[in-house]
Amino acid sequence: MSDTRFSLPVTTPRSPEEETGGPAQTGARWPLPEEAFWSEEADPHWMAPGELTEPQPAIKDDEPPAKAPAKAPAKGEPAKKPAKGQAAAKEPSQAAQERRPRQRPKAVADDTAQPQPEPKQEAQPARRKRDPYLDNVKFVLIALVVVGHSLVPTLSADSSRALYIFIYTFHMPLFVLISGYLSRNFWNSNAKTNKLVDTFLVPYVIVEVGYALLRVSVGQKWSLTIIDPAWLNWYLLALLFWRLSTPVWKRMKYPVPVAIVVYLLSGFSQISGDFSMDRFFGLMPFFVIGLVMQPEHFELLNRRWIKILGVLTILGAAGVAIFLAPKAKLSPFYFKASFQDLHLSWYMGLGLRAGLLVCALAMCFAVLALVPRGETWYSDLGTRTLYCYLLHGIPVLVAKEMGWLELPWLFGPLGVLAIASSAFALAIVLCLPETRTVFKWVLEPRLTWLYRRPSRS
């Protein structure tokens, strides 16, 4: 039992910066997205300055001051007899006091005292509003994913090929980097740990079966290999294994250099696509970089000179993509091919992988610097990118099989513009809340019956 002889000390409330500064306690203005925060009002053990553990009775102004107790007579001195009227007045009150049971003072109450009622907990504050910045980034990236997949039938045209190279240099690396950043506190939450099954394994199996049925419906052969993800489904398995490896990277002193070394050396091995292991190693540095990033790093990208440098980086990358389009191979931009598959010597392969890493990081930071940080018309759409990623393959695959993306006029700048605009509109539709309402039971099943409830201490 708790000791109730002493009241709890009065504490001084901490500033909001101390409460929501994140793991580094830097007091950054940009909070973790979708994370609840503690404040003095939400802490059941917090007390306002000057608040006592027990309320004291109020003293009225019109009450006379309490009389001091009568002095005991000195030794050898006769006790004073009270007046006749006074004695008669005091006798009933003394008798009542003798009949009343004695109460021990609260200041000396021991462990046998009755437990005091706990102070009423105040209502917990509402959850912090999502920061729109990352949602803006995610929608831009998912729209580029749809555009990139839609351009595949027209890659024989230089204009389409140039845009394809430009997109694939950074869009999935940046997606993986953002996923790493959002995985920093992944293992600190039971609900997020449960999502390893709810959001990855179950949707993975459902999507694999769904795409196998779709391929049969358009005239292709039945093929279903769960360990070898089909088309865009590789990302679910790769992200699952990246998140499972998160505790290992967080224990390392120098996780980013180690991840880069593993990324470079993995080119010597012909890693198969089973369980997305080729992409797991090929995009590993971006996940680890996102894992070690802090909110203040994103704030550094909000400076004007960095934004100007970002514009120059994007324009330079577009020029390089146009220059390389007629002769460059597309395999390196998937971040999974080995040196042998690319027909490169070991030193050329290492140089190519290192160059791709530098270019991809430069474009990632340029995009992060240029994306709006405030609320935009597409901020809400960025909260449902999972649906767009897993569902856009259906209309794109149907359009390919029907020949809608191979019309002659699409092989040129005007066709690239038309495909990109249509893909952008498709991304908007698939990120709408109505789409989530229709497909939530498939892509985000609530399997609460599958998990143990966390113990409450």
Side-chain angles (χ1 to χ4, degrees):
M1 297 178 64
S2 61
D3 192 356
T4 59
R5 288 179 293 179
F6 302 97
S7 61
L8 295 175
V10 178
T11 57
T12 304
R14 292 176 288 178
S15 62
E17 286 82 3
E18 294 175 359
E19 293 292 338
T20 58
Q25 293 294 334
T26 56
R29 293 173 295 167
W30 188 64
L32 287 175
E34 296 186 62
E35 292 293 338
F37 66 101
W38 277 100
S39 64
E40 291 86 358
E41 291 79 9
D43 189 350
H45 303 292
W46 178 83
M47 298 188 335
E51 182 180 340
L52 302 176
T53 54
E54 293 187 13
Q56 302 297 321
I59 299 178
K60 298 181 180 178
D61 295 338
D62 56 352
E63 286 186 2
K67 292 183 180 180
K71 267 189 175 182
K75 191 174 181 181
E77 206 173 87
K80 292 183 181 180
K81 293 183 178 181
K84 188 175 181 181
Q86 291 178 352
K90 288 182 180 179
E91 283 178 2
S93 62
Q94 289 177 357
Q97 288 181 3
E98 290 175 0
R99 290 195 302 267
R100 187 181 304 164
R102 282 187 177 183
Q103 293 184 357
R104 301 174 68 181
K106 290 182 181 179
V108 295
D110 56 9
D111 289 346
T112 60
Q114 293 293 332
Q116 300 177 2
E118 296 183 0
K120 205 171 187 180
Q121 294 187 8
E122 298 182 10
Q124 293 191 3
R127 294 185 64 182
R128 184 183 291 268
K129 186 181 178 182
R130 285 177 68 110
D131 191 290
Y133 175 54
L134 284 187
D135 293 331
N136 295 339
V137 175
K138 290 194 294 181
F139 178 75
V140 171
L141 293 178
I142 198 62
L144 293 177
V145 169
V146 182
V147 172
H149 288 160
S150 303
L151 289 173
V152 172
T154 61
L155 288 181
S156 57
D158 290 345
S159 55
S160 179
R161 196 178 184 88
L163 181 58
Y164 189 84
I165 291 175
F166 175 82
I167 292 174
Y168 271 74
T169 302
F170 76 94
H171 80 310
M172 287 314 299
L174 184 51
F175 238 133
V176 175
L177 187 147
I178 297 299
S179 299
Y181 178 78
L182 296 178
S183 301
R184 295 183 308 154
N185 299 325
F186 191 83
W187 291 101
N188 296 342
S189 169
N190 289 321
K192 290 184 177 180
T193 305
N194 294 348
K195 283 188 176 182
L196 290 176
V197 175
D198 293 354
T199 314
F200 297 117
L201 290 182
V202 173
Y204 172 78
V205 175
I206 293 174
V207 172
E208 280 291 318
V209 175
Y211 276 115
L213 295 174
L214 180 61
R215 288 191 294 268
V216 171
S217 65
V218 295
Q220 299 182 15
K221 293 182 179 180
W222 168 266
S223 62
L224 178 63
T225 307
I226 295 295
I227 65 173
D228 184 13
W231 196 17
L232 51 82
N233 222 13
W234 66 267
Y235 183 71
L236 291 180
L237 275 188
L239 184 56
L240 171 66
F241 289 114
W242 282 323
R243 284 190 165 170
L244 289 175
S245 68
T246 296
V248 177
W249 297 113
K250 295 185 76 171
R251 289 284 298 168
M252 289 187 180
K253 286 185 177 181
Y254 310 105
V256 175
V258 172
I260 292 176
V261 171
V262 173
Y263 157 76
L264 294 175
L265 296 181
S266 63
F268 288 96
S269 301
Q270 287 185 286
I271 304 174
S272 69
D274 292 348
F275 298 107
S276 298
M277 284 293 103
D278 50 355
R279 306 272 192 153
F280 172 80
F281 290 102
L283 293 166
M284 178 184 290
F286 303 100
F287 182 83
V288 178
I289 290 172
L291 201 60
V292 302
M293 288 186 71
Q294 298 292 330
E296 56 268 24
H297 297 144
F298 291 88
E299 289 296 327
L300 292 176
L301 299 173
N302 199 24
R303 300 180 180 181
R304 179 176 298 179
W305 69 270
I306 294 183
K307 291 179 181 293
I308 295 174
L309 187 60
V311 172
L312 297 177
T313 301
I314 294 297
L315 293 177
V320 172
I322 294 173
F323 174 77
L324 294 177
K327 44 192 172 183
K329 295 181 179 180
L330 299 178
S331 300
F333 299 98
Y334 300 138
F335 293 90
K336 66 176 184 177
S338 66
F339 302 156
Q340 183 177 345
D341 294 335
L342 296 175
H343 306 288
L344 297 174
S345 60
W346 67 269
Y347 57 89
M348 289 294 292
L350 289 176
L352 177 62
R353 283 211 163 196
L356 276 175
L357 178 64
V358 173
C359 293
L361 286 176
M363 294 184 68
C364 287
F365 294 136
V367 172
L368 288 174
L370 296 176
V371 170
R373 294 174 177 264
E375 194 79 25
T376 63
W377 63 269
Y378 53 87
S379 297
D380 181 66
L381 299 176
T383 64
R384 292 176 288 273
T385 54
L386 174 67
Y387 293 85
C388 182
Y389 184 82
L390 296 179
L391 295 175
H392 80 274
I394 299 174
V396 171
L397 183 60
V398 171
K400 288 179 181 178
E401 294 297 326
M402 299 298 294
W404 299 339
L405 296 176
E406 297 179 4
L407 300 176
W409 67 274
L410 295 177
F411 290 76
L414 185 60
V416 171
L417 181 61
I419 292 175
S421 302
S422 302
F424 189 76
L426 176 61
I428 294 175
V429 172
L430 295 180
C431 289
L432 290 175
E434 291 78 9
T435 305
R436 182 183 186 185
T437 302
V438 174
F439 294 98
K440 184 177 181 179
W441 65 278
V442 178
L443 301 182
E444 284 186 301
R446 293 186 57 83
L447 306 177
T448 53
W449 55 269
L450 189 60
Y451 310 109
R452 295 183 301 173
R453 292 186 177 182
S455 60
R456 296 181 179 179
S457 55

